[in-house]
Amino acid sequence: MRKVFIGVGHGGSDSGACANGLRESDVNLEMALAMKAELERYGVTVGISRTRDENDRLAEEIRECNAFSPELAVEVHNNAGGGDGFECYISGKNQTARQLAERIEAEVKRIGQNSRGVKVSTGLGWVNKVKAPAVLCEGFFLDSEDCKVADTAEKQRRFGQACARGVLGQLGITVKEQEQQEQPAALADRKAVQERFGFDDSTMLYLDGYRFAAALYQRLARTK
């Protein structure tokens, strides 16, 4: 059984960074749920620190993650401070964590985001206290032009799916090249289904978890 744990930064009374109509806690959750759905589509067992907007203390995330005993652990965050680009933090003590960070970075760059690199931190609790190889991703800056890379729920889901592909690569699970090439079309089908049937975001996230979600969206989008 392949196991991955996803930590979802902030939540509840702690919104994290807020700018340009975006709340980091909401963005983190959108990305994390998309990442979870994509991993599960490939048969990975996924633990996650929260699935809705609720208080989610870092100490509790770390406790839950260690109790889950995953092969890999990813914490989802986004940034503020007027900068630009993706960055990923590791403890520097684990080569597997560095490989994971570099794989996620490569997939994020494939969807058009630039990168500030993989960085070592001795102070971040997630990368230093989680027992499994752990990374903390900062996807984009909410308070600069960088926000355009993920300023809609659809773009945020695409970001989460990119992170999932990096994790799958580290697990040795092959993502079919055709599926990667068809990603924009799949997103268009998903959007068309949501608009046509008036599904809310919660319903769409539920459908995303279906193993054959892309095929379902394609069929529904083209049915007259």
Side-chain angles (χ1 to χ4, degrees):
M1 180 188 300
R2 315 313 300 269
K3 296 174 66 178
V4 172
F5 191 90
I6 303 172
V8 189
H10 306 289
S13 59
D14 176 14
S15 62
C18 295
N20 293 309
L22 300 170
R23 281 168 30 108
E24 185 191 352
S25 57
D26 296 337
V27 176
N28 295 346
L29 182 59
E30 194 75 52
M31 289 181 174
L33 288 173
M35 182 179 172
K36 178 177 183 290
E38 186 71 0
L39 291 172
E40 290 176 338
R41 198 163 69 88
Y42 282 85
V44 178
T45 299
V46 182
I48 190 167
S49 66
R50 65 182 175 95
T51 58
R52 60 184 186 274
D53 187 24
E54 62 183 6
N55 290 325
D56 191 27
R57 294 173 55 249
L58 175 60
E60 182 64 14
E61 287 187 16
I62 293 171
R63 187 197 67 77
E64 290 176 357
C65 181
N66 287 334
F68 189 69
S69 298
E71 293 179 61
L72 304 170
V74 180
E75 173 86 356
V76 179
H77 276 267
N78 286 281
N79 229 329
D84 178 78
F86 168 87
E87 56 192 13
C88 194
Y89 289 90
I90 60 174
S91 70
K93 299 177 182 178
N94 189 301
Q95 186 60 30
T96 300
R98 178 171 289 278
Q99 292 171 353
L100 173 60
E102 290 173 349
R103 288 180 186 275
I104 293 175
E105 177 191 35
E107 292 296 337
V108 167
K109 290 169 72 173
R110 287 185 64 173
I111 63 170
Q113 173 66 317
N114 64 309
S115 178
R116 298 157 63 91
V118 175
K119 303 180 179 182
V120 173
S121 171
T122 58
L124 288 172
W126 178 263
V127 299
N128 288 285
K129 294 182 180 180
V130 166
K131 296 176 182 178
V135 303
L136 186 149
C137 298
E138 297 273 7
F140 69 100
F141 284 78
L142 279 73
D143 58 350
S144 72
E145 288 294 306
D146 194 39
C147 75
K148 293 181 180 178
V149 74
D151 58 356
T152 67
E154 183 175 319
K155 292 178 183 177
Q156 291 156 20
R157 286 189 289 270
R158 187 176 177 222
F159 215 112
Q161 289 163 347
C163 292
R165 290 194 295 273
V167 174
L168 290 167
Q170 186 62 36
L171 292 173
I173 299 173
T174 301
V175 178
K176 295 179 181 178
E177 188 64 27
Q178 182 180 6
E179 290 187 0
Q180 295 189 37
Q181 293 172 352
E182 291 177 350
Q183 191 69 15
L187 288 172
D189 288 340
R190 184 186 190 282
K191 182 178 180 180
V193 168
Q194 184 170 18
E195 292 177 350
R196 179 176 180 181
F197 295 96
F199 292 149
D200 59 23
D201 287 341
S202 295
T203 300
M204 295 306 296
L205 287 171
Y206 175 79
L207 292 174
D208 287 344
Y210 175 50
R211 184 177 180 184
F212 304 108
L216 174 65
Y217 293 147
Q218 183 182 56
R219 182 169 184 177
L220 291 175
R222 289 158 175 71
T223 300
K224 296 183 179 180

